[in-house]
Amino acid sequence: MRILKPYLRSTSIQCYFCLLLNSHFLTEAGIHVFIWGCISAGLPKTEANWQYVINDLKTVGHLLQSSHIDATLYTESHAHPNCKVTAMRCFLLELRVILHESKNATIYEIIENLTMLANSSLSSMENKTELGCKECEELEEKNIKEFLKSFVHIVQMFINTS
């Protein structure tokens, strides 16, 4: 059974810690600590998200080997580090093509999870403008295997700079 949303795995520990704190601080401040602790337990932990994205990409690659999808996708093969956010957004858009072409429930769940993880990590860079980067439609179209290989390379760029 696949566990989605891996960034929530430590939620129970954080909630138990909040309950422990709350039992010692039965005041208004204790209640605030409890509430904020529970809220923080549900927030994404972006520092680990990129490794989960790579794992999901590899799983999608293995699942797609048995299917006969003949799609070509816009692929950034040689992204400059200053264009990694733009490239990542293109990769995430192109994942929708895989969703549409595969019609596989497992692949759908994995790509939805992968997209959510990547977007949560990109959320701190929402307003970042990267100049001189290629738009998605300007990229070369490649097969799914090459697309996933390049996608992993872009994700590794995020890991190496965090």
Side-chain angles (χ1 to χ4, degrees):
M1 180 177 164
R2 178 161 173 73
I3 298 174
L4 296 178
K5 301 181 183 176
Y7 56 84
L8 293 178
R9 289 181 184 159
S10 65
T11 303
S12 60
I13 294 170
Q14 290 171 324
C15 286
Y16 289 132
F17 182 66
C18 289
L19 286 172
L20 178 67
L21 282 175
N22 195 34
S23 67
H24 291 292
F25 303 107
L26 295 176
T27 63
E28 187 176 336
I31 292 170
H32 287 275
V33 169
F34 175 73
I35 291 170
W36 284 111
C38 290
I39 290 171
S40 73
L43 294 175
K45 311 295 187 273
T46 59
E47 66 274 359
N49 283 355
W50 292 119
Q51 189 56 51
Y52 291 120
V53 169
I54 287 177
N55 294 342
D56 283 346
L57 286 171
K58 289 179 181 177
T59 303
V60 167
H62 292 302
L63 291 170
L64 287 172
Q65 284 178 349
S66 63
S67 64
H68 301 289
I69 299 173
D70 192 28
T72 56
L73 307 163
Y74 293 119
T75 304
E76 177 60 88
S77 300
H78 306 289
H80 188 277
N82 293 338
C83 292
K84 67 182 182 182
V85 173
T86 302
M88 179 59 69
R89 288 187 179 127
C90 289
F91 278 111
L92 293 173
L93 284 173
E94 289 298 285
L95 278 179
R96 296 288 169 203
V97 174
I98 294 174
L99 280 179
H100 180 73
E101 294 286 326
S102 74
K103 300 192 186 328
N104 178 307
T106 304
I107 291 174
Y108 179 85
E109 286 180 23
I110 295 169
I111 289 178
E112 285 296 316
N113 187 57
L114 181 158
T115 303
M116 189 221 29
L117 290 170
N119 281 327
S120 70
S121 294
L122 287 176
S123 65
S124 63
M125 303 172 202
E126 271 183 27
N127 296 328
K128 184 174 182 176
T129 304
E130 297 174 324
L131 301 174
C133 302
K134 291 183 180 180
E135 296 296 321
C136 295
E137 295 78 19
E138 297 176 296
L139 300 172
E140 185 179 346
E141 291 186 46
K142 295 193 176 185
N143 66 38
I144 291 176
K145 185 177 179 180
E146 288 297 314
F147 171 82
L148 292 172
K149 181 180 172 185
S150 294
F151 199 158
V152 168
H153 177 72
I154 295 295
V155 173
Q156 288 170 338
M157 292 174 94
F158 281 90
I159 292 172
N160 292 336
T161 58
S162 57

